[in-house]
Amino acid sequence: MENYEFWFVVGSQSLYGPEVLETVERRAREMAAELAQALPFPLVYKVTAKTNGEISALVREANYQERCAGIVAWCHTFSPSKMWINGLAGLQKPYCHLATQYNREIPNDEIDMDFMNLNQAAHGDREHGFLAARLRMPRKVIAGHWQDRSVRDRLGRWMRTAVGAAVSRGMKVMRFGDNMREVAVTEGDKVEAQIKLGWQVNTWAVGDLVREMDAVTEADTGALMAQYQSRYDMATDKLDHVRYQAREEIAIRRMLEREGCRAFTNTFQDLYGMEQLPGLATQSLMAQGYGYGGEGDWKAAAMTAVMKAMGEGGNGASGFMEDYTYHLAQGGEYSLGAHMLEVCPSLAQGRPRIETHPLGIGMNEKDPARLVFEGRAGDAVVASLIDMGGRLRLICQDIHCVKPILPMPNLPVARVMWRPEPSLTAGVECWITAGGAHHTVLSYDVDGEMLRDWARIMDIEFVHITRDTTVEGLERELFWNDLAWKLK
Ligand code: MN
């Protein structure tokens, strides 16, 4: 979706003379070019930094250029860090310190003092790390040889995370109607969210959407119906209901595009003038990368869009999810997630079916059409952003999705089944202790490390429930977090 790039900055100093500096630059160009082949975004060599002026100029340019999604820094030689202060103190882009070195091994015969002065990352990267620590900079540190696959994978995932930060800072959310009446967790401070995360969350009338729907032509609807038929199995005779969803999708997308919005919400309590809650329409929009949150949940909507953007190809396997019901068979305990209609087909195993069924909630004159499927097996996370009053908290839980253990032939919605870490019961205790919502974003593409990095960049609290988490340890962490965030 976006043409982002990252800038590679290599630290050195003039003390070593031109020959060393030429070698440093040549190697830095070689490394950037080779790394770029294995990374999801270009890594562009920018400068061998030797002066305060060079570094300050580079940071000014990075802040200014929208396409620059972050800086990757490394010190080939020693690079005295006081010359980095003025630049780094003003840096507004995500920052990664790649603690690597050009050569993999110490060459037994070749090594002498010249070799050591040239290949001095172990020394230079420590000086560099001190300064970032002193500046309290949000940063990612990745150590290891630059040709190692694990280093490249982690750098690539950090790049996706930094793009998630850029997408977040440009995020606009379109709300149709307000939150579901009386619900607490979907509320939040939109001003705080815009300050921290950049989100512009605003409302549009459902009547505007109905008017937009009235303007959709039969030809446009027919073209989208053909796409539905090519992507999904039509398992209903009520084609007029499906056509209605197509009309809803076209109208919503036109409004989103017109306003530059990447996410939207609606609520079954406010469908004035509409025959169906958008189901298939919303699912199809999510498949295209748009974020969605049900019952007016704008936090879940924007998080869905951000996490999709952080995934493979800028639209990964992430979707709006809701914890619905438990399977508490001893030794085989699972959580069943779904939503009334709106589960993203990027989570599907196999080809989704279009079905129509009555919806026993809200005002739906006609049975809404929706995609029905099973989620695929695999490691995943669920993430929930909540407003703690004075700050935002992002909660992430590692989960393992399974092929649903029951066919559930009468359940008319898409469903995903999983086992959370550290176990279903302890995982539920942790989630509830942390205040996590029933609405989440489920992702097969974004992991806990990425969400931790994202939260650090955005300067919000992060809580990760993993296989090692205990309720007791988590309570302690939350207690200290509460104090720390009040002081911050
Ligand atoms: Mn819901």
Side-chain angles (χ1 to χ4, degrees), residues 73 75 81 84 88 95 97 124-133:
C75 294
S81 275
W84 290 76
L88 292 185
Y95 179 71
H97 183 169
D125 277 335
R126 280 170 168 73
E127 166 77 356
H128 197 74
F130 160 73
L131 183 76

Side-chain angles (χ1 to χ4, degrees), residues 66-77:
E66 273 190 64
R67 70 175 186 278
C68 174
I71 284 184
V72 179
W74 165 57
C75 294
H76 192 307
T77 68

Side-chain angles (χ1 to χ4, degrees), residues 294-295 320 322 324 339-340 438-439:
E295 291 91 57
F320 174 61
E322 180 171 282
Y324 246 104
H339 205 258
M340 284 195 296
H438 56 280
H439 282 169

Side-chain angles (χ1 to χ4, degrees), residues 88-315:
L88 292 185
L91 180 63
Q92 296 163 354
K93 294 289 172 81
Y95 179 71
C96 176
H97 183 169
L98 178 63
T100 188
Q101 71 182 11
Y102 180 77
N103 55 302
R104 185 183 288 278
E105 297 180 7
I106 294 172
N108 184 45
D109 291 329
E110 192 191 328
I111 188 166
D112 55 13
M113 283 315 293
D114 285 344
F115 181 94
M116 287 218 293
N117 281 326
L118 174 62
N119 299 283
Q120 213 178 5
H123 183 159
D125 277 335
R126 280 170 168 73
E127 166 77 356
H128 197 74
F130 160 73
L131 183 76
R134 171 68 198 268
L135 288 169
R136 275 78 171 171
M137 283 178 67
R139 64 194 156 134
K140 177 71 174 175
V141 183
I142 299 174
H145 193 251
W146 58 285
Q147 288 174 320
D148 284 351
R149 194 171 161 184
S150 65
V151 168
R152 294 175 172 196
D153 284 352
R154 290 181 70 212
L155 185 56
R157 288 205 302 278
W158 176 80
M159 284 179 161
R160 293 185 193 288
T161 303
V163 165
V167 167
S168 180
R169 286 176 176 141
M171 178 66 60
K172 290 184 178 181
V173 182
M174 181 171 283
R175 309 177 72 211
F176 292 111
D178 203 337
N179 299 41
M180 179 181 165
R181 287 187 280 276
E182 305 292 352
V183 176
V185 80
T186 56
E187 293 287 352
D189 181 342
K190 299 189 208 67
V191 174
E192 178 72 7
Q194 188 163 352
I195 292 168
K196 285 289 186 183
L197 309 175
W199 299 353
Q200 301 168 56
V201 183
N202 289 296
T203 188
W204 274 261
V206 177
D208 291 342
L209 177 57
V210 171
R211 200 167 48 200
E212 193 74 37
M213 285 172 62
D214 290 342
V216 175
T217 64
E218 286 300 308
D220 292 339
T221 310
L224 186 53
M225 284 291 284
Q227 286 186 35
Y228 288 161
Q229 259 149 341
S230 73
R231 284 187 209 127
Y232 310 120
D233 287 341
M234 194 67 74
T236 177
D237 296 331
K238 296 175 177 165
L239 291 185
D240 56 322
H241 294 216
V242 182
R243 285 186 79 87
Y244 192 83
Q245 291 280 337
R247 210 137 65 79
E248 289 179 327
E249 175 179 342
I250 293 165
I252 295 169
R253 195 176 52 227
R254 282 181 183 163
M255 289 185 69
L256 293 171
E257 281 174 1
R258 194 179 304 139
E259 301 294 340
C261 293
R262 258 182 114 120
F264 70 103
T265 69
N266 54 23
T267 169
F268 64 89
Q269 284 175 333
D270 187 357
L271 298 175
Y272 196 86
M274 295 170 76
E275 291 175 4
Q276 299 176 31
L277 176 66
L280 169 61
T282 297
Q283 293 172 294
S284 177
L285 285 163
M286 275 194 281
Q288 295 160 53
Y290 289 105
Y292 172 78
E295 291 91 57
D297 192 340
W298 52 269
K299 298 197 295 302
M303 272 317 293
T304 304
V306 167
M307 288 172 68
K308 278 179 167 293
M310 283 162 69
E312 203 74 39
N315 182 14

Side-chain angles (χ1 to χ4, degrees), residues 8 18-19 23-24 54 131 146 154 164 166 169 187 228 245 264 289 294 326 331 425 444 457 485:
F8 191 37
E19 204 181 316
T23 305
V24 169
E54 281 172 333
L131 183 76
W146 58 285
R154 290 181 70 212
R169 286 176 176 141
E187 293 287 352
Y228 288 161
Q245 291 280 337
F264 70 103
Y326 299 129
T425 49
Y444 296 93
I457 294 166
W485 281 91

